Amino acid sequence: MKNRVDIWTLLIVTAVTALIWFWAAAETRGDRSISVRLQFVVADPDDWLVTPPQRTVRIEVQGSRLALDQADRVLRQPVPIEFVPVVGAKTIDILNALRDHDELEATGVRIRSAEPSVVEIDSDRIVRVPARVRATLPGVQTVGEVEVRPAEVTVAMPSRLRERWLGAINVEAFVDRGRLDQLDPGRHHVIDVAVRPADGLPSNGGIQIEPGTVQLAFTMRSRIRETRLDQVRVQLAGPPEDYREFRVDVLDPILRDVTIRGEGDLIRRIESEEVTVVAILHLSNREKEQRIDAKPISYFLALIREPDGASRGVQVEGQIGDSLRPPPIRLDIQRIDRENDG
């Protein structure tokens, strides 16, 4: 009986000792470094752009092990730092902001330091302006106009960007070629397209468009394609009677590396060499009188042979190399001496 009492006494003493040890360990004070992600918020976030919206800082806290563990759990989530915005820069004192955090204060830890101790943020008021939507369907010819639904959207943008961007705000509904290739010519199509800023307006400058998607309704007539030609011959054009007075020699008779754009079937016939492309250089009588020594080509022409053997020309777009402007063609223009020729 005595042995049984001694065993129970030993168990009770051991349990009490363990509880005291765990309590003492939990209450042992220490320091801990914790990484904190701050989230800067304002009362009306739809009307303000805050940069940066978040910032990571490292804080040193002191407290019991239990309090430090609780603080660690609280700070695993972003900590909202609410402030009153003004247009321009503002400095946030991190220590004061965190000391006002109710959940962190409830843990009982003491914040000793923060690195950095202050953070500078920038705020700008959001303004809203109406904008017409421009439909962009690269490589496609349509029957009539493209209908945009709705035709006008609202662009929300920082006030300082609006002050720098004078004039109308333009946006576009751009359809990539891959998507257009899946549509059949000759049919009416209605597709949903995302709207994006246009004409150089930055897409990542805090701009939002509402609604962000519009519908485009159109009938596709044909697709525009392009092909690259190693060489294209230059052909002169002008009043026929001028050739009795002037001799014109084209010193650059061949253009190299020419990209031609046109209706899909026409491009296919150019690639199969059924149709020839020439570069037309039009010279006026006045230019011949002045004996100009160079001039860019006027346009590119696809010469289509008809069943009766005649040819008709269809104007096509062309680009020489990577240049957006055609280079000048060198010329040698001489007046014909009629007396000597006679």
Side-chain angles (χ1 to χ4, degrees), residues 272-301:
S272 64
E273 299 184 355
E274 296 178 44
V275 173
T276 301
V277 176
V278 295
I280 301 299
L281 178 59
H282 187 275
L283 291 175
S284 66
N285 182 270
R286 183 177 181 180
E287 289 170 330
K288 294 172 185 175
E289 290 279 0
Q290 295 174 344
R291 297 176 60 190
I292 63 172
D293 58 6
K295 183 182 180 180
I297 64 167
S298 305
Y299 51 86
F300 290 92
L301 204 63

Side-chain angles (χ1 to χ4, degrees), residues 225-239:
R225 292 292 180 266
E226 64 180 38
T227 187
R228 179 182 171 277
L229 302 178
D230 292 333
Q231 60 181 32
V232 172
R233 181 170 295 278
V234 177
Q235 182 172 308
L236 292 175

Side-chain angles (χ1 to χ4, degrees), residues 81-96:
I81 304 296
E82 188 167 347
F83 69 100
V84 178
V86 294
V87 176
K90 187 169 186 175
T91 300
I92 303 294
D93 187 306
I94 302 302
L95 287 178
N96 289 337

